[in-house]
Amino acid sequence: MRVIHTDDAPAHTGPVPQAVEAGGWIHVSALFGADPRGRAIPEDARAEAEQLFDNLAAILAAAGAGIADVVRVGIVMRDLQRDRPLFNQVWAERFGDHRPARSAIESSAFGRPGENARFMIEVAAYRA
């Protein structure tokens, strides 16, 4: 197993890696739309979703993969009904014709206290 890290995406506090790679599989840990430098979550939902995908692309690149290698995405949204249409727009822009499997659930119990992140994703990608 290889730990993946890049300064171009926010790091976790504690013992959680940004991602790990094993046998060509890349598993991205809980990922947010926080700025990699200041760790701030954008106030605008679209900007947050776009930053989240920028962070994902940076982690995948550090693993030698890209967005087209994504196989599955688990999504947590603070307000699913409100934010899913906008998130889906950014999703379609970033993934294009690529359609990984995905699930989405609503929860208010994620992220760090006070951050108020709208989105969190966990990703599995495969680099042959």
Side-chain angles (χ1 to χ4, degrees), residues 98-124:
H98 182 60
R99 294 289 182 258
R102 79 177 230 187
S103 60
I105 64 166
E106 179 176 299
S107 176
S108 61
F110 68 91
R112 292 181 184 92
E115 277 184 336
N116 295 320
R118 293 171 192 84
F119 313 112
M120 178 188 81
I121 63 173
E122 294 182 332
V123 174

Side-chain angles (χ1 to χ4, degrees), residues 32 48 75-83 104-111 116-120:
F32 299 90
E48 181 181 346
I75 308 161
V76 180
M77 294 185 194
R78 195 164 299 280
D79 189 326
L80 191 66
Q81 297 309 311
R82 179 193 69 201
D83 293 329
I105 64 166
E106 179 176 299
S107 176
S108 61
F110 68 91
N116 295 320
R118 293 171 192 84
F119 313 112
M120 178 188 81

Side-chain angles (χ1 to χ4, degrees), residues 2-116:
R2 176 174 68 112
V3 172
I4 308 299
H5 178 81
T6 178
D7 290 335
D8 294 329
H12 290 277
T13 57
V16 180
Q18 290 171 321
V20 297
E21 185 270 332
W25 283 99
I26 302 156
H27 296 275
V28 179
S29 298
L31 185 61
F32 299 90
D35 175 76
R37 307 298 181 266
R39 303 185 55 83
I41 300 285
E43 290 191 27
D44 176 71
R46 175 173 266 284
E48 181 181 346
E50 289 173 347
Q51 183 65 58
L52 183 143
F53 281 100
D54 289 347
N55 294 341
L56 175 60
I59 292 169
L60 292 172
I67 208 87
D69 297 309
V70 172
V71 175
R72 186 189 183 292
V73 180
I75 308 161
V76 180
M77 294 185 194
R78 195 164 299 280
D79 189 326
L80 191 66
Q81 297 309 311
R82 179 193 69 201
D83 293 329
R84 183 173 28 199
L86 181 135
F87 188 88
N88 283 343
Q89 288 175 359
V90 177
W91 173 281
E93 291 165 9
R94 296 300 179 104
F95 280 111
D97 291 333
H98 182 60
R99 294 289 182 258
R102 79 177 230 187
S103 60
I105 64 166
E106 179 176 299
S107 176
S108 61
F110 68 91
R112 292 181 184 92
E115 277 184 336
N116 295 320

